[in-house]
Coordinates of all heavy atoms in Angstrom, one line a residue:
M1 N -102.6 66.0 186.8 CA -101.3 66.6 186.3 C -100.3 65.5 186.2 O -100.1 64.7 187.0 CB -100.9 67.7 187.3 CG -99.8 68.6 186.8 SD -99.2 69.7 188.0 CE -100.6 70.8 188.1
K2 N -99.5 65.6 185.0 CA -98.5 64.6 184.8 C -97.3 64.9 185.7 O -97.0 66.0 186.1 CB -98.0 64.7 183.3 CG -98.9 64.2 182.3 CD -98.3 64.3 180.9 CE -99.3 63.9 179.8 NZ -98.8 64.3 178.5
E3 N -96.6 63.8 186.1 CA -95.4 63.9 187.0 C -94.4 64.8 186.4 O -93.8 65.6 187.1 CB -94.9 62.5 187.2 CG -94.1 62.3 188.5 CD -95.0 62.6 189.7 OE1 -96.1 62.3 189.7 OE2 -94.4 63.2 190.6
I4 N -94.2 64.7 185.1 CA -93.1 65.6 184.4 C -93.5 67.1 184.6 O -92.7 67.9 184.7 CB -92.9 65.2 183.0 CG1 -91.8 66.0 182.3 CG2 -94.2 65.3 182.1 CD1 -90.4 65.6 182.8
T5 N -94.8 67.3 184.5 CA -95.3 68.7 184.6 C -95.0 69.2 186.0 O -94.6 70.4 186.2 CB -96.8 68.8 184.3 OG1 -97.0 68.2 183.0 CG2 -97.3 70.3 184.3
K6 N -95.3 68.4 187.0 CA -95.1 68.8 188.4 C -93.6 69.1 188.6 O -93.2 70.0 189.3 CB -95.4 67.6 189.4 CG -96.9 67.4 189.5 CD -97.1 66.3 190.5 CE -98.6 65.8 190.5 NZ -98.7 64.5 191.3
I7 N -92.7 68.2 188.1 CA -91.3 68.4 188.2 C -90.8 69.7 187.6 O -90.1 70.5 188.2 CB -90.5 67.2 187.6 CG1 -90.8 66.0 188.5 CG2 -89.0 67.5 187.5 CD1 -90.4 64.7 187.8
K8 N -91.4 70.0 186.4 CA -91.0 71.2 185.7 C -91.5 72.5 186.4 O -90.8 73.5 186.5 CB -91.6 71.2 184.2 CG -90.8 70.4 183.3 CD -91.1 70.6 181.9 CE -90.1 69.9 180.9 NZ -90.3 70.3 179.5
L9 N -92.7 72.4 186.9 CA -93.3 73.5 187.7 C -92.5 73.7 189.0 O -92.3 74.9 189.4 CB -94.8 73.3 188.0 CG -95.7 73.4 186.8 CD1 -97.1 72.9 187.2 CD2 -95.8 74.8 186.3
T10 N -92.1 72.6 189.6 CA -91.3 72.7 190.8 C -90.0 73.4 190.5 O -89.5 74.3 191.3 CB -91.1 71.4 191.5 OG1 -92.4 70.8 191.7 CG2 -90.4 71.5 192.8
D11 N -89.3 73.0 189.4 CA -88.0 73.5 189.0 C -88.2 75.0 188.8 O -87.3 75.8 189.3 CB -87.6 72.9 187.7 CG -86.9 71.6 187.9 OD1 -86.6 71.2 189.1 OD2 -86.5 70.9 186.9
A12 N -89.2 75.4 188.0 CA -89.4 76.8 187.7 C -89.7 77.6 188.9 O -89.1 78.7 189.1 CB -90.6 76.9 186.7
L13 N -90.5 77.1 189.8 CA -90.8 77.8 191.1 C -89.6 78.0 191.9 O -89.3 79.1 192.5 CB -91.9 77.0 191.8 CG -92.4 77.7 193.1 CD1 -93.0 79.1 192.9 CD2 -93.4 76.8 193.8
N14 N -88.8 76.9 192.1 CA -87.5 77.0 192.8 C -86.6 78.0 192.3 O -85.9 78.8 193.0 CB -86.8 75.6 192.9 CG -87.6 74.6 193.8 OD1 -88.3 75.1 194.7 ND2 -87.3 73.4 193.6
W15 N -86.5 78.0 190.9 CA -85.6 79.0 190.3 C -86.0 80.4 190.6 O -85.2 81.3 190.9 CB -85.5 78.7 188.8 CG -84.5 79.6 188.1 CD1 -83.2 79.4 188.0 CD2 -84.7 80.9 187.5 NE1 -82.6 80.4 187.3 CE2 -83.5 81.4 187.0 CE3 -85.9 81.7 187.4 CZ2 -83.4 82.6 186.4 CZ3 -85.8 82.9 186.7 CH2 -84.5 83.4 186.2
C16 N -87.3 80.7 190.5 CA -87.8 82.0 190.7 C -87.6 82.4 192.2 O -87.4 83.6 192.5 CB -89.3 82.1 190.3 SG -89.5 82.0 188.5
D17 N -87.8 81.4 193.0 CA -87.7 81.7 194.5 C -86.2 82.0 194.8 O -86.0 83.0 195.5 CB -88.0 80.4 195.2 CG -88.4 80.6 196.7 OD1 -89.0 81.7 196.9 OD2 -88.1 79.8 197.5
E18 N -85.3 81.3 194.2 CA -83.8 81.6 194.4 C -83.4 82.9 193.9 O -82.6 83.6 194.5 CB -83.0 80.5 193.7 CG -82.9 79.2 194.5 CD -82.4 78.0 193.7 OE1 -81.7 78.3 192.7 OE2 -82.6 76.9 194.0
N19 N -84.0 83.3 192.8 CA -83.7 84.6 192.1 C -84.6 85.7 192.5 O -84.5 86.8 191.9 CB -83.6 84.4 190.6 CG -82.5 83.5 190.2 OD1 -81.4 83.9 190.1 ND2 -82.7 82.2 190.0
D20 N -85.4 85.5 193.5 CA -86.2 86.6 194.1 C -87.1 87.3 193.1 O -87.2 88.5 193.0 CB -85.3 87.6 194.8 CG -86.1 88.3 195.9 OD1 -87.1 87.8 196.4 OD2 -85.7 89.5 196.2
K21 N -87.8 86.5 192.3 CA -88.7 87.0 191.2 C -90.1 87.4 191.8 O -90.5 86.8 192.8 CB -88.8 86.0 190.1 CG -87.5 85.7 189.4 CD -86.9 86.9 188.7 CE -85.7 86.6 187.9 NZ -85.0 87.8 187.4
S22 N -90.7 88.3 191.1 CA -92.1 88.7 191.5 C -93.1 87.5 191.2 O -92.8 86.7 190.4 CB -92.5 89.9 190.8 OG -92.7 89.7 189.4
T23 N -94.2 87.6 191.9 CA -95.3 86.6 191.6 C -95.7 86.6 190.2 O -95.8 85.5 189.6 CB -96.5 86.9 192.6 OG1 -96.0 86.9 193.9 CG2 -97.5 85.7 192.4
L24 N -95.9 87.7 189.6 CA -96.3 87.8 188.2 C -95.3 87.2 187.3 O -95.7 86.5 186.4 CB -96.6 89.3 187.8 CG -98.0 89.9 188.0 CD1 -98.0 91.3 187.6 CD2 -99.0 89.0 187.3
F25 N -94.0 87.5 187.5 CA -93.0 87.0 186.7 C -93.0 85.4 186.8 O -92.9 84.7 185.9 CB -91.6 87.5 187.1 CG -90.5 87.0 186.3 CD1 -90.0 87.6 185.2 CD2 -89.9 85.7 186.7 CE1 -88.9 87.0 184.4 CE2 -88.8 85.2 185.9 CZ -88.4 85.8 184.8
T26 N -93.1 85.0 188.1 CA -93.0 83.6 188.4 C -94.1 82.8 187.7 O -93.8 81.7 187.1 CB -93.2 83.4 189.9 OG1 -92.1 84.1 190.6 CG2 -93.1 81.9 190.3
I27 N -95.3 83.3 187.7 CA -96.4 82.6 187.0 C -96.2 82.5 185.5 O -96.4 81.4 184.9 CB -97.8 83.3 187.3 CG1 -98.1 83.1 188.8 CG2 -98.9 82.8 186.4 CD1 -99.3 84.0 189.3
Q28 N -95.8 83.6 184.9 CA -95.5 83.6 183.5 C -94.3 82.7 183.1 O -94.4 81.9 182.2 CB -95.1 85.1 183.0 CG -95.0 85.2 181.5 CD -96.3 84.8 180.8 OE1 -97.3 85.4 181.1 NE2 -96.2 83.9 179.8
Y29 N -93.3 82.7 184.0 CA -92.1 81.8 183.8 C -92.5 80.3 183.9 O -92.1 79.5 183.0 CB -91.1 82.1 184.8 CG -89.8 81.3 184.6 CD1 -88.9 81.7 183.7 CD2 -89.5 80.2 185.5 CE1 -87.7 81.0 183.5 CE2 -88.4 79.5 185.3 CZ -87.4 79.9 184.3 OH -86.3 79.1 184.2
M30 N -93.4 80.0 184.8 CA -93.8 78.6 185.0 C -94.7 78.2 183.9 O -94.5 77.0 183.4 CB -94.6 78.5 186.3 CG -93.7 78.6 187.6 SD -94.7 78.8 189.1 CE -95.1 77.1 189.4
M31 N -95.5 79.1 183.3 CA -96.3 78.8 182.2 C -95.5 78.4 181.0 O -95.7 77.4 180.2 CB -97.3 79.9 181.8 CG -98.4 80.1 182.7 SD -99.3 81.7 182.5 CE -99.9 81.5 180.8
D32 N -94.4 79.3 180.7 CA -93.5 79.1 179.6 C -92.7 77.8 179.8 O -92.5 77.1 178.8 CB -92.6 80.3 179.4 CG -93.4 81.6 179.0 OD1 -94.6 81.4 178.6 OD2 -92.9 82.7 179.2
Y33 N -92.1 77.7 181.0 CA -91.2 76.6 181.2 C -91.9 75.2 181.2 O -91.3 74.3 180.6 CB -90.6 76.8 182.6 CG -89.4 75.9 182.9 CD1 -88.2 76.1 182.4 CD2 -89.6 74.7 183.7 CE1 -87.1 75.2 182.7 CE2 -88.6 73.9 184.0 CZ -87.3 74.1 183.5 OH -86.3 73.3 183.8
A34 N -93.1 75.1 181.7 CA -93.7 73.8 181.8 C -94.7 73.7 180.6 O -95.4 72.6 180.4 CB -94.4 73.6 183.1
K35 N -94.9 74.8 179.8 CA -95.8 74.8 178.7 C -97.2 74.4 179.1 O -97.9 73.5 178.6 CB -95.4 73.9 177.6 CG -94.1 74.4 176.9 CD -93.6 73.5 175.7 CE -92.5 74.0 175.0 NZ -91.2 74.1 175.8
V36 N -97.7 75.1 180.1 CA -99.1 74.9 180.7 C -99.9 76.2 180.7 O -99.3 77.2 180.5 CB -99.0 74.3 182.1 CG1 -98.5 72.9 182.1 CG2 -98.3 75.2 183.1
Q37 N -101.2 76.0 180.9 CA -102.1 77.2 181.0 C -101.9 77.9 182.3 O -101.5 77.3 183.3 CB -103.6 76.7 180.8 CG -103.9 76.0 179.5 CD -103.8 76.9 178.3 OE1 -104.4 78.0 178.3 NE2 -103.0 76.5 177.3
H38 N -102.4 79.1 182.3 CA -102.4 79.9 183.6 C -103.1 79.2 184.7 O -102.5 79.2 185.8 CB -103.0 81.3 183.3 CG -103.0 82.2 184.4 ND1 -104.0 82.4 185.3 CD2 -102.0 83.1 184.8 CE1 -103.7 83.3 186.2 NE2 -102.5 83.8 185.9
E39 N -104.2 78.7 184.4 CA -105.0 77.9 185.4 C -104.3 76.8 186.1 O -104.4 76.6 187.3 CB -106.3 77.4 184.6 CG -107.4 76.8 185.5 CD -108.4 76.0 184.7 OE1 -108.7 76.5 183.6 OE2 -108.8 74.9 185.1
T40 N -103.5 76.1 185.3 CA -102.7 75.0 185.8 C -101.7 75.4 186.8 O -101.5 74.8 187.8 CB -102.0 74.2 184.6 OG1 -103.0 73.9 183.6 CG2 -101.3 73.0 185.1
V41 N -101.0 76.6 186.5 CA -100.0 77.1 187.4 C -100.7 77.6 188.7 O -100.2 77.3 189.8 CB -99.3 78.3 186.7 CG1 -98.4 79.0 187.7 CG2 -98.5 77.9 185.5
I42 N -101.8 78.2 188.6 CA -102.5 78.7 189.8 C -102.9 77.5 190.7 O -102.7 77.5 191.9 CB -103.8 79.5 189.4 CG1 -103.4 80.7 188.6 CG2 -104.6 79.9 190.7 CD1 -102.4 81.7 189.3
R43 N -103.4 76.4 190.0 CA -103.8 75.2 190.8 C -102.6 74.6 191.5 O -102.7 74.1 192.6 CB -104.5 74.2 189.8 CG -105.8 73.7 190.4 CD -106.4 72.6 189.5 NE -106.5 73.0 188.1 CZ -106.1 72.2 187.1 NH1 -105.5 71.0 187.4 NH2 -106.1 72.6 185.8
F44 N -101.5 74.6 190.7 CA -100.2 74.0 191.3 C -99.8 74.9 192.5 O -99.4 74.3 193.5 CB -99.2 74.0 190.2 CG -97.8 73.6 190.7 CD1 -97.5 72.2 190.8 CD2 -96.8 74.5 191.1 CE1 -96.3 71.8 191.3 CE2 -95.6 74.1 191.5 CZ -95.3 72.8 191.6
L45 N -99.8 76.2 192.3 CA -99.4 77.1 193.4 C -100.2 76.9 194.7 O -99.7 77.0 195.8 CB -99.3 78.5 193.0 CG -98.2 78.9 192.0 CD1 -98.4 80.3 191.4 CD2 -96.9 78.7 192.6
E46 N -101.5 76.7 194.5 CA -102.4 76.5 195.6 C -102.1 75.2 196.4 O -102.1 75.2 197.6 CB -103.9 76.4 195.1 CG -104.5 77.8 194.9 CD -105.8 77.8 194.2 OE1 -106.3 76.7 193.9 OE2 -106.4 78.9 193.9
S47 N -101.7 74.2 195.7 CA -101.3 73.0 196.4 C -99.9 73.1 196.9 O -99.6 72.6 198.0 CB -101.4 71.8 195.4 OG -100.5 71.9 194.3
E48 N -99.1 73.9 196.2 CA -97.7 74.1 196.6 C -97.6 74.8 198.0 O -96.7 74.6 198.7 CB -97.0 74.9 195.5 CG -95.5 75.1 195.8 CD -94.8 73.8 195.5 OE1 -95.3 72.9 194.8 OE2 -93.7 73.6 196.1
S49 N -98.6 75.7 198.2 CA -98.6 76.5 199.4 C -98.7 75.7 200.7 O -98.4 76.1 201.8 CB -99.7 77.6 199.4 OG -100.9 77.0 199.4
K50 N -99.1 74.4 200.5 CA -99.3 73.5 201.6 C -98.0 72.7 201.8 O -97.8 72.0 202.8 CB -100.4 72.6 201.4 CG -101.8 73.2 201.4 CD -102.8 72.3 200.8 CE -104.1 73.1 200.5 NZ -104.8 72.5 199.4
K51 N -97.1 72.8 200.8 CA -95.9 72.1 200.9 C -94.8 72.8 201.7 O -95.0 73.9 202.0 CB -95.3 71.8 199.5 CG -96.3 71.0 198.6 CD -96.6 69.6 199.1 CE -97.6 68.9 198.3 NZ -99.0 69.3 198.4
Q52 N -93.7 72.1 202.0 CA -92.7 72.7 202.8 C -91.4 73.0 202.1 O -91.1 72.3 201.1 CB -92.4 71.7 204.0 CG -93.4 71.7 205.0 CD -93.0 70.7 206.1 OE1 -92.9 69.5 205.8 NE2 -92.9 71.2 207.3
K53 N -90.7 74.0 202.6 CA -89.4 74.3 202.0 C -88.4 73.5 202.8 O -88.5 73.3 204.0 CB -89.1 75.8 202.3 CG -88.8 76.6 201.1 CD -88.5 78.0 201.4 CE -88.9 78.9 200.3 NZ -88.7 80.3 200.5
I54 N -87.5 72.9 202.1 CA -86.6 72.0 202.7 C -85.2 72.2 202.3 O -84.9 72.8 201.2 CB -87.0 70.5 202.4 CG1 -87.2 70.3 200.9 CG2 -88.2 70.1 203.2 CD1 -87.5 68.9 200.6
K55 N -84.2 71.8 203.1 CA -82.8 72.0 202.8 C -82.1 70.8 203.3 O -82.4 70.2 204.4 CB -82.3 73.3 203.5 CG -81.0 73.7 203.0 CD -80.6 75.0 203.6 CE -79.3 75.5 203.0 NZ -78.8 76.7 203.7
C56 N -81.1 70.4 202.6 CA -80.3 69.2 202.9 C -78.8 69.6 203.1 O -78.4 70.6 202.6 CB -80.4 68.2 201.8 SG -79.5 66.7 202.1
T57 N -78.1 68.8 203.9 CA -76.7 69.0 204.2 C -75.9 68.9 202.9 O -74.8 69.5 202.9 CB -76.2 68.1 205.2 OG1 -76.5 66.8 204.9 CG2 -76.7 68.4 206.6
C58 N -76.3 68.3 201.9 CA -75.6 68.2 200.6 C -75.7 69.4 199.8 O -75.0 69.6 198.8 CB -76.1 67.0 199.8 SG -77.7 67.2 199.0
G59 N -76.5 70.4 200.2 CA -76.6 71.6 199.6 C -77.9 71.8 198.8 O -78.3 72.9 198.4
W60 N -78.7 70.7 198.6 CA -80.0 70.8 197.9 C -81.0 71.5 198.8 O -81.1 71.2 199.9 CB -80.5 69.4 197.5 CG -81.6 69.5 196.6 CD1 -81.6 69.4 195.2 CD2 -83.0 69.6 196.9 NE1 -82.9 69.5 194.7 CE2 -83.7 69.6 195.7 CE3 -83.7 69.6 198.1 CZ2 -85.1 69.7 195.7 CZ3 -85.1 69.8 198.1 CH2 -85.8 69.8 196.9
A61 N -81.7 72.4 198.1 CA -82.8 73.1 198.9 C -83.9 73.5 197.9 O -83.6 73.7 196.7 CB -82.2 74.4 199.5
G62 N -85.1 73.5 198.3 CA -86.2 73.8 197.4 C -87.5 73.5 198.1 O -87.6 73.1 199.2
V63 N -88.5 73.7 197.3 CA -89.9 73.4 197.7 C -90.2 72.0 197.1 O -90.2 71.9 195.8 CB -90.9 74.5 197.3 CG1 -92.3 74.1 197.8 CG2 -90.4 75.8 197.9
M64 N -90.6 71.1 197.9 CA -90.9 69.8 197.3 C -92.4 69.7 197.1 O -93.2 70.0 197.9 CB -90.5 68.7 198.3 CG -89.0 68.3 198.1 SD -88.6 67.6 196.5 CE -89.3 65.9 196.7
Y65 N -92.8 69.2 195.9 CA -94.1 68.9 195.6 C -94.4 67.4 195.8 O -93.5 66.6 195.5 CB -94.4 69.2 194.1 CG -95.9 69.1 193.7 CD1 -96.7 70.1 194.0 CD2 -96.4 67.9 193.2 CE1 -98.1 70.0 193.7 CE2 -97.7 67.8 192.9 CZ -98.6 68.8 193.1 OH -99.9 68.7 192.8
N66 N -95.5 67.1 196.5 CA -95.8 65.7 196.9 C -94.7 65.1 197.8 O -94.3 64.0 197.7 CB -95.9 64.8 195.6 CG -97.3 64.9 195.1 OD1 -98.2 65.5 195.7 ND2 -97.5 64.4 193.9
L67 N -94.1 65.9 198.6 CA -93.1 65.5 199.6 C -93.7 64.5 200.5 O -94.8 64.7 201.1 CB -92.6 66.7 200.3 CG -91.6 66.4 201.5 CD1 -90.3 65.9 200.9 CD2 -91.3 67.6 202.3
V68 N -93.1 63.4 200.6 CA -93.6 62.4 201.6 C -92.8 62.5 202.9 O -91.6 62.3 203.0 CB -93.4 60.9 201.0 CG1 -93.9 59.9 202.0 CG2 -94.0 60.8 199.7
V69 N -93.6 63.0 203.9 CA -93.0 63.2 205.2 C -93.6 62.3 206.2 O -94.8 62.2 206.3 CB -93.2 64.7 205.6 CG1 -92.5 65.0 207.0 CG2 -92.7 65.7 204.5
D70 N -92.7 61.7 207.0 CA -93.1 60.9 208.1 C -93.7 61.9 209.2 O -92.9 62.7 209.7 CB -92.0 60.1 208.7 CG -92.4 59.2 209.8 OD1 -93.2 59.6 210.6 OD2 -91.9 58.1 209.8
S71 N -94.9 61.9 209.4 CA -95.5 62.9 210.3 C -95.0 62.8 211.7 O -95.0 63.8 212.4 CB -97.1 62.8 210.3 OG -97.4 61.4 210.7
E72 N -94.5 61.7 212.2 CA -94.1 61.6 213.5 C -92.6 62.1 213.7 O -92.3 62.8 214.6 CB -94.2 60.1 214.0 CG -95.6 59.8 214.4 CD -95.7 58.4 215.0 OE1 -94.7 57.9 215.6 OE2 -96.8 57.8 214.9
S73 N -91.8 61.7 212.8 CA -90.4 62.1 212.9 C -90.1 63.5 212.2 O -89.1 64.1 212.5 CB -89.4 61.1 212.3 OG -89.7 60.9 210.9
G74 N -91.0 63.8 211.3 CA -90.8 65.1 210.5 C -89.6 65.0 209.6 O -89.0 66.1 209.3
T75 N -89.3 63.9 209.1 CA -88.2 63.8 208.2 C -88.6 63.3 206.8 O -89.7 62.8 206.6 CB -87.1 62.8 208.7 OG1 -87.7 61.5 208.9 CG2 -86.5 63.3 210.0
A76 N -87.7 63.5 205.8 CA -88.0 63.0 204.4 C -86.7 62.7 203.8 O -85.6 63.0 204.4 CB -88.7 64.1 203.7
N77 N -86.7 62.2 202.6 CA -85.4 61.9 201.9 C -85.1 62.9 200.8 O -86.0 63.3 200.1 CB -85.5 60.5 201.3 CG -85.5 59.4 202.3 OD1 -84.8 59.5 203.3 ND2 -86.3 58.4 202.1
C78 N -83.9 63.3 200.8 CA -83.4 64.3 199.8 C -83.5 63.7 198.4 O -83.0 62.6 198.1 CB -82.0 64.7 200.1 SG -81.2 65.7 198.9
P79 N -84.0 64.5 197.4 CA -84.1 64.0 196.0 C -82.8 63.9 195.3 O -82.6 63.3 194.3 CB -85.1 65.0 195.4 CG -85.0 66.2 196.1 CD -84.7 65.8 197.6
K80 N -81.8 64.6 195.9 CA -80.5 64.7 195.3 C -79.6 63.6 195.8 O -79.0 62.8 195.0 CB -79.9 66.0 195.5 CG -78.6 66.3 194.7 CD -78.0 67.7 195.0 CE -76.7 67.8 194.3 NZ -76.1 69.1 194.7
C81 N -79.4 63.5 197.1 CA -78.4 62.5 197.6 C -79.1 61.3 198.3 O -78.5 60.3 198.6 CB -77.5 63.2 198.6 SG -78.3 63.7 200.1
G82 N -80.4 61.5 198.5 CA -81.2 60.4 199.1 C -81.1 60.2 200.6 O -81.8 59.4 201.2
Q83 N -80.3 61.0 201.2 CA -80.2 60.9 202.7 C -81.4 61.6 203.4 O -82.1 62.4 202.8 CB -78.9 61.5 203.2 CG -78.9 63.0 203.3 CD -77.6 63.5 203.9 OE1 -77.3 63.1 205.0 NE2 -76.9 64.4 203.3
E84 N -81.7 61.1 204.6 CA -82.8 61.7 205.3 C -82.4 63.0 206.0 O -81.3 63.2 206.4 CB -83.2 60.7 206.4 CG -84.6 60.8 206.9 CD -84.9 59.7 207.9 OE1 -84.4 59.8 209.1 OE2 -85.7 58.8 207.6
Y85 N -83.4 63.9 206.0 CA -83.1 65.2 206.6 C -84.4 65.7 207.2 O -85.5 65.2 206.9 CB -82.6 66.2 205.6 CG -83.4 66.4 204.4 CD1 -84.5 67.3 204.5 CD2 -83.2 65.7 203.3 CE1 -85.3 67.5 203.4 CE2 -84.1 65.9 202.2 CZ -85.1 66.7 202.3 OH -85.9 66.9 201.2
T86 N -84.2 66.7 208.1 CA -85.4 67.2 208.8 C -86.0 68.4 208.0 O -85.3 69.1 207.4 CB -85.0 67.8 210.2 OG1 -84.3 66.7 210.9 CG2 -86.2 68.2 211.0
T87 N -87.3 68.4 207.9 CA -87.9 69.5 207.1 C -88.0 70.8 207.8 O -87.8 70.9 209.1 CB -89.4 69.1 206.8 OG1 -90.1 68.9 208.0 CG2 -89.5 67.8 205.9
M88 N -88.1 71.9 207.1 CA -88.2 73.2 207.7 C -89.6 73.8 207.3 O -90.1 73.5 206.3 CB -87.1 74.2 207.0 CG -85.7 73.6 207.0 SD -84.6 75.0 206.6 CE -85.2 75.5 205.0
D89 N -90.1 74.6 208.2 CA -91.3 75.3 208.0 C -91.1 76.4 207.0 O -90.0 77.0 206.9 CB -91.9 75.9 209.3 CG -92.5 74.8 210.1 OD1 -92.9 73.8 209.6 OD2 -92.5 75.0 211.4
E90 N -92.1 76.7 206.2 CA -92.1 77.7 205.1 C -91.9 79.1 205.7 O -91.3 80.0 205.2 CB -93.3 77.6 204.2 CG -93.2 78.6 203.0 CD -93.4 77.8 201.7 OE1 -94.0 76.7 201.7 OE2 -92.9 78.3 200.7
K91 N -92.4 79.3 206.9 CA -92.4 80.6 207.6 C -91.1 81.0 208.2 O -90.1 80.9 208.0 CB -93.5 80.7 208.7 CG -94.9 80.7 208.1 CD -95.8 80.1 209.2 CE -97.0 79.5 208.6 NZ -97.7 78.6 209.5
Ligands
LIG101 ZN1 -79.1 65.8 200.1

C-alpha cells in the first residue's frame, strides 16, 4: 500500500470516527475518498484494529497508522506539533 493511500484512509477513518458514522458508511466513504477497492479498505481496517487511538495536548487526536511507539515508555510523537505524548488504549 502506498503511503499516500494510508494517509487518505487514516483521514477518512478519523473523520467517520469523529462524526460517529456506521461501519458500512465508513467503508464506502474510505473507498471513495482514497479511491481504492473494498478489499483494500478491509485489509487496512484489519491492520488498523491493532493500532492505537491517541490524543495530544495540542488538540490533535486520531488513530495512527504505522504509529511508532516506544514499547518501554509508551510514548510517540504527535504528527501535528511533533511533541511527545502518551498513547491511549482503544478500549
Ligand atoms: Zn500535538
Side-chain angles (χ1 to χ4, degrees):
M1 193 183 288
K2 285 180 187 171
E3 205 59 37
I4 185 70
T5 306
K6 285 182 196 171
I7 292 166
K8 283 193 167 190
L9 287 171
T10 306
D11 277 355
L13 183 59
N14 286 340
W15 185 86
C16 290
D17 202 36
E18 279 166 23
N19 291 278
D20 204 24
K21 299 296 183 187
S22 70
T23 305
L24 272 179
F25 179 95
T26 302
I27 291 168
Q28 187 61 51
Y29 183 79
M30 288 169 80
M31 285 167 66
D32 294 344
Y33 189 81
K35 294 182 174 64
V36 293
Q37 301 291 308
H38 185 264
E39 188 193 320
T40 307
V41 172
I42 299 303
R43 232 185 308 132
F44 176 82
L45 288 172
E46 279 170 0
S47 62
E48 189 71 23
S49 65
K50 292 164 195 154
K51 302 296 182 284
Q52 285 179 301
K53 235 177 209 180
I54 49 179
K55 197 177 182 189
C56 179
T57 50
C58 75
W60 190 92
V63 180
M64 278 294 286
Y65 187 83
N66 277 349
L67 175 67
V68 181
V69 180
D70 184 319
S71 57
E72 281 184 27
S73 64
T75 58
N77 291 320
C78 173
K80 191 180 173 188
C81 69
Q83 76 173 310
E84 204 177 71
Y85 56 85
T86 307
T87 58
M88 309 190 302
D89 286 332
E90 187 124 23
K91 290 156 207 161

